[in-house]
Amino acid sequence: MSQTDAIKNLKRNQKVVSPSQVLSEEIKEEGKKENNVSSKVERKRVSFDLRTDLHQQLKLQSVVQEKNIYILIEEALTNYLEQK
């Protein structure tokens, strides 16, 4: 079985979650409790152009790591900005 077929099978078996479901889920920070009130992360929808080869690699990593693409981008940007 090729790597592409394996990734497609992983994707087929993956739980389907829409972006609106993800955004509406309560996000709790570890070790931080404020009167049992959980806070939501505020997000802004953005649009930008990306090289197709990078987009393909990003999609593959999204499946392999079982994370949404926007999470991978947020992690990469956070790491980049912390290094500056």
Side-chain angles (χ1 to χ4, degrees):
M1 182 184 317
S2 71
Q3 182 181 8
T4 304
D5 290 335
I7 291 171
K8 285 180 181 178
N9 287 333
L10 279 174
K11 193 67 173 170
R12 286 184 190 112
N13 295 330
Q14 189 176 20
K15 178 183 169 189
V16 177
V17 179
S18 71
S20 59
Q21 288 174 317
V22 171
L23 292 177
S24 66
E25 288 181 5
E26 294 179 351
I27 300 174
K28 298 178 183 177
E29 294 182 36
E30 287 185 30
K32 195 174 190 182
K33 293 182 181 178
E34 295 181 20
N35 300 329
N36 293 329
V37 176
S38 61
S39 60
K40 291 184 180 180
V41 173
E42 192 173 327
R43 299 195 187 284
K44 172 76 176 170
R45 183 172 297 272
V46 295
S47 176
F48 54 89
D49 294 332
L50 187 63
R51 289 188 347 229
T52 55
D53 62 318
L54 290 177
H55 183 250
Q56 185 177 16
Q57 290 177 23
L58 188 58
K59 284 174 30 177
L60 288 173
Q61 282 302 311
S62 173
V63 173
V64 170
Q65 295 184 30
E66 297 180 353
K67 294 182 179 180
N68 289 323
I69 288 177
Y70 76 90
I71 298 291
L72 295 177
I73 292 172
E74 283 181 353
E75 290 173 354
L77 284 173
T78 301
N79 290 336
Y80 174 79
L81 293 172
E82 287 175 352
Q83 292 176 0
K84 290 289 177 176

